[in-house]
Amino acid sequence: MQFKYIFLTLAAAALSMTGCNKFLDVKPKGIVIPDKVNDFQLMLNSRNMNFSYPTVLLEISDDYYEEFDDLSTAPSANAYFWREGLDQNEQSEPIAWGPLYNTIYHANVIINNVLKVKDGTEAQRKSVEAEALVIRSDCYFTLLTIFSKAYNPATAAKDPGLPLITSTDVTDKTPQRASVQVTLDSMLNALHRAIPSLPLTNLNKHRPTKYAAYGLLARIYLYMRNFPEAGKYADLALSMQHTLIDYNDYVDVWDFPSMDANPEVLWQRGSLDYMLPAGGRLQKSLADLYPDSDRRKTLLTYEWPAGSGFYTYNAEPGWFNFGSTFPEMYLTKAEALARNDQPAAAMDVINELRRYRIDTDAYAPLTAANKTDALQKVLLERRKELAFRGQRWMDMKRLDQEGLMPKVDRVLRSTGAVQATLAPGDKKYVFQIPARVQQFNPDIILNDR
């Protein structure tokens, strides 16, 4: 499979203009080739680099409720029912694979070329390269959670991960899938390589910083169930000066600061779908987790129809953030403490967050009797705080590895009919390589579905 079938507009244009020459080897007429640090800075500010989050990750989670005809083969229905392939039509661009590998391609253009330009300082060039390394790692991690098995240290060296693309030569054949272990190691190595050159602050919240890299490391280590490292990097991310929003100070979600100005946002990653998650319906099992005193339910959901007990998500204003937040770091730190048999310390961290989320008159600090009790309470708070923020599928996969994920049914509210089931240990936790990718790369290793 040639890159033009993984990547989108830029790769296809480059191929048509350059023939067999490597991208950026020459300057074809009509194509502007980045040759200044500022050119690469502009790339980092582009939508290609900042709006790649696949909202299909919402649809495959147990947070989300939707109604589809059983016969529908739309990608959203395929996702919702955990069917083998998200994209069953080989004529269609893959809805998650395509945009994420497109961003990876653009990141590689920066990584492979910015250090060669003559202007700017070495520190500036390395900083731009480091930002691209963080963005590429984020994209790989998202792809891994969709198209590969959850991390299992006993099998990760053999389980198929992702094709690790580093070239920008659009005529190259795509490499075979690396193992899950190699794929994760490549992300971790890239992030550790990037951190020394990353800035402490940046032009906007879409642009990576040292703290954003720490946050991504915390997330990846949590997925790998390496809790000491997850806690370490969550702490480093939290060392950035930050504030939490007190939900008691607001009467309506539209009074919240926009995502670009939200002090809880650590690193903003957007989706090209401006609407989502606004209007997304909650599974009743999720809505029932929130007591009436929980301001997250009061402000971030609304009951529709009134009196039905069914709730719809009411997103904060602006382009929604599916990236990392400081509340996520609190939750990761608390989980690491609970796993390390420090229940009191874990509850202290959780309560630091909860006091900004629960009605002032109803707030009471949580306590935990032991490690197991603390972990259950941390995971419950994580579920409620991070609902519809894009990480639930990652959590479902890692918790399933520990036997902590119950069966999930897709139940049609109007009839009570069970349309699909995701059982513990189910092969449905991995989606098949997209049909279009298989068409142009017939030797790619497929998932066991």
Side-chain angles (χ1 to χ4, degrees):
M1 174 182 172
Q2 291 183 345
F3 285 169
K4 63 180 179 178
Y5 301 117
I6 281 187
F7 307 122
L8 305 180
T9 308
L10 179 58
L15 179 61
S16 65
M17 297 299 288
T18 64
C20 292
N21 288 318
K22 288 188 176 183
F23 185 66
L24 300 186
D25 274 358
V26 296
K27 289 190 176 184
K29 185 177 180 181
I31 297 293
V32 177
I33 304 301
D35 60 3
K36 291 182 172 59
V37 170
N38 190 59
D39 295 335
F40 293 104
Q41 292 273 9
L42 292 173
M43 288 184 68
L44 288 170
N45 285 327
S46 70
R47 285 196 173 191
N48 279 320
M49 298 296 282
N50 296 295
F51 289 84
S52 59
Y53 178 83
T55 51
V56 68
L57 277 174
L58 298 178
E59 296 163 336
I60 60 183
S61 79
D62 59 350
D63 286 348
Y64 195 80
Y65 176 81
E66 191 51 271
E67 295 181 5
F68 294 101
D69 186 294
D70 289 342
L71 300 178
S72 173
T73 58
S76 291
N78 295 336
Y80 187 72
F81 294 130
W82 310 293
R83 292 178 179 145
E84 181 173 348
L86 295 173
D87 309 275
Q88 298 179 357
N89 183 350
E90 63 187 23
Q91 301 304 313
S92 301
E93 291 291 352
I95 59 172
W97 185 284
L100 286 163
Y101 267 109
N102 182 48
T103 301
I104 289 168
Y105 178 85
H106 285 79
N108 284 335
V109 170
I110 297 172
I111 294 164
N112 294 350
N113 294 280
V114 68
L115 298 184
K116 302 174 187 176
V117 300
K118 303 302 182 185
D119 75 322
T121 66
E122 182 180 11
Q124 288 173 327
R125 295 191 292 269
K126 285 185 174 181
S127 179
V128 169
E129 178 199 37
E131 290 189 52
L133 286 167
V134 175
I135 292 170
R136 186 177 70 180
S137 296
D138 179 68
C139 291
Y140 275 137
F141 181 64
T142 301
L143 284 161
L144 191 76
T145 64
I146 301 173
F147 297 106
S148 296
K149 291 181 180 180
Y151 179 74
N152 180 340
T155 62
K158 295 181 179 179
D159 293 336
L162 299 172
L164 296 176
I165 309 296
T166 57
S167 173
T168 54
D169 183 342
V170 294
T171 66
D172 279 352
K173 189 178 188 299
T174 301
Q176 187 53 270
R177 295 171 70 181
S179 70
V180 167
Q181 187 67 61
V182 169
T183 304
L184 284 165
D185 286 345
S186 73
M187 300 175 213
L188 297 174
N189 291 337
L191 289 167
H192 287 296
R193 170 185 161 192
I195 284 170
S197 298
L198 286 167
L200 294 173
T201 61
N202 217 321
L203 297 174
N204 55 62
K205 292 194 174 184
H206 290 279
R207 297 283 294 273
T209 63
K210 287 185 190 294
Y211 300 106
Y214 294 147
L216 184 52
L217 281 170
R219 184 182 294 180
I220 294 172
Y221 280 123
L222 186 69
Y223 183 70
M224 297 174 71
R225 305 199 306 283
N226 185 338
F227 302 112
E229 289 297 290
K232 169 186 172 180
Y233 285 101
D235 257 336
L236 285 170
L238 289 169
S239 69
M240 180 180 181
Q241 186 175 358
H242 63 277
T243 58
L244 297 176
I245 294 174
D246 190 341
Y247 283 26
N248 289 287
D249 292 340
Y250 296 89
V251 296
D252 190 281
V253 70
W254 293 103
D255 295 330
F256 274 48
S258 68
M259 284 296 175
D260 288 335
N262 191 316
E264 293 189 350
V265 172
L266 174 57
W267 183 34
Q268 189 161 348
R269 302 294 292 159
S271 164
L272 287 175
D273 190 331
Y274 180 81
M275 294 302 297
L276 287 177
R281 291 185 281 185
L282 282 69
Q283 286 285 348
K284 192 172 186 303
S285 59
L286 170 61
D288 288 347
L289 294 177
Y290 299 91
D292 291 339
S293 60
D294 197 318
R295 300 287 292 169
R296 289 170 291 202
K297 188 173 186 178
T298 306
L299 294 171
L300 299 179
T301 73
Y302 58 92
E303 190 178 22
W304 185 259
S308 65
F310 300 131
Y311 288 82
T312 298
Y313 196 80
N314 195 18
E316 298 97 314
W319 287 99
F320 196 77
N321 176 43
F322 293 104
S324 52
T325 64
F326 291 107
E328 177 196 346
M329 296 299 108
Y330 279 91
L331 292 159
T332 299
K333 178 179 180 177
E335 183 171 345
L337 289 167
R339 301 266 189 181
N340 194 41
D341 199 10
Q342 296 177 264
M347 292 301 96
D348 286 343
V349 176
I350 286 296
N351 288 325
E352 178 63 20
L353 176 62
R354 288 182 67 255
R355 67 188 183 91
Y356 291 102
R357 301 298 192 247
I358 308 300
D359 281 338
T360 302
D361 293 340
Y363 173 78
L366 292 179
T367 60
N370 51 45
K371 174 181 178 179
T372 300
D373 187 29
L375 180 60
Q376 290 174 344
K377 287 174 176 172
V378 169
L379 292 177
L380 176 60
E381 286 303 314
R382 185 176 178 90
R383 179 85 192 276
K384 292 188 290 185
E385 177 67 26
L386 300 183
F388 278 71
R389 298 185 183 273
Q391 296 174 54
R392 180 58 183 168
W393 182 248
M394 175 198 92
D395 282 344
M396 290 170 66
K397 289 186 70 152
R398 69 183 180 90
L399 294 174
D400 181 64
Q401 291 289 297
E402 300 181 81
L404 297 177
M405 265 304 299
K407 179 183 71 168
V408 182
D409 289 326
R410 296 304 198 198
V411 180
L412 190 62
R413 289 175 181 172
S414 58
T415 65
V418 177
Q419 297 177 291
T421 295
L422 182 67
D426 206 316
K427 292 181 180 180
K428 295 177 184 177
Y429 272 105
V430 183
F431 288 90
Q432 191 56 273
I433 301 299
R436 187 168 177 83
V437 177
Q438 293 184 45
Q439 179 187 17
F440 291 105
N441 191 17
D443 63 344
I444 194 168
I445 297 171
L446 300 182
N447 292 319
D448 179 15
R449 282 288 306 246

